[in-house]
Amino acid sequence: MEAWDAIRARRNVRQYTQEPVSAEDLHRIAEAGWRAPSAKNRQPWDFVIVTDKAQLQELSTVWMGAGHIAGAAAAIVLVIPEPADERRKVTDQYDLGQATMAMMLAATDLGIGTGHSSVGDQGKARAILGVPDGYLVAYLLGVGYPADRPLTPIRKPNRRPFDEVVHHGRW
């Protein structure tokens, strides 16, 4: 798939088939996150790839919007050190957004769907994953083949009108 097609085809997928995602494809998706830009090239992230069904089920309970993780073939969990200050928190969140989007586009390119989730219960998430103190389990990214329809460019996305969003020179 061309990059532009992957951008136009990417959507949040929260229902997956039972087909597993290969280790090779999971590593390619994680590599996309690893290659993402970050402030001062700090690369604050660590990624935990989870494929065990029982572990995915447990992870689905760490946030009210994480239920789709239980049905995913895998999850890629984004972990960062606890930010030292507000500036670091802001830059780390931006960096994680870039890594997440890079992974989502890489997955879409492979025909694999993704659905992101926040994490509410840090203690539980750290225990499930073995993440040491001093780190935050920032986001979960469900990964799997879409159950409803394949990922193809969306002709009429449900977005605010382009001309209302894009301004030239001034607001």
Side-chain angles (χ1 to χ4, degrees):
M1 184 179 295
E2 295 287 326
W4 182 240
D5 288 339
I7 290 168
R8 294 183 311 132
R10 194 224 56 85
R11 60 184 165 84
N12 288 328
V13 174
R14 291 193 169 85
Q15 293 182 339
Y16 308 95
T17 68
Q18 294 300 305
E19 183 180 352
V21 175
S22 72
E24 178 183 46
D25 285 348
L26 289 170
H27 284 176
R28 182 174 177 148
I29 294 165
E31 183 177 343
W34 174 75
R35 289 179 176 271
S38 69
K40 297 184 180 180
N41 200 28
R42 286 186 38 256
Q43 306 165 55
W45 48 63
D46 283 276
F47 308 133
V48 181
I49 299 173
V50 178
T51 57
D52 178 77
K53 287 293 183 189
Q55 202 175 7
L56 291 167
Q57 178 63 47
E58 284 186 89
L59 281 173
S60 75
T61 66
V62 300
W63 180 253
M64 61 186 159
H68 66 284
I69 300 298
I76 300 176
V77 183
L78 293 86
V79 179
I80 58 169
E82 289 182 6
D85 53 38
E86 189 62 26
R87 173 81 176 136
R88 182 62 52 89
K89 179 181 177 182
V90 169
T91 58
D92 285 355
Q93 292 299 313
Y94 189 84
D95 289 351
L96 288 174
Q98 293 187 99
T100 300
M101 190 64 179
M103 288 190 273
M104 292 172 128
L105 290 174
T108 301
D109 183 56
L110 297 167
I112 298 168
T114 55
H116 60 281
S117 172
S118 295
V119 175
D121 190 336
Q122 283 294 315
K124 186 173 187 180
R126 279 197 295 268
I128 293 166
L129 299 165
V131 172
D133 290 339
Y135 288 84
L136 295 174
V137 180
Y139 301 109
L140 311 175
L141 186 62
V143 179
Y145 293 95
D148 57 352
R149 65 189 192 279
L151 296 167
T152 58
I154 300 166
R155 291 184 178 265
K156 293 183 179 181
N158 183 14
R159 314 296 299 168
R160 289 176 43 211
F162 187 78
D163 292 340
E164 287 182 18
V165 173
V166 177
H167 307 272
H168 295 273
R170 294 178 58 94
W171 183 271

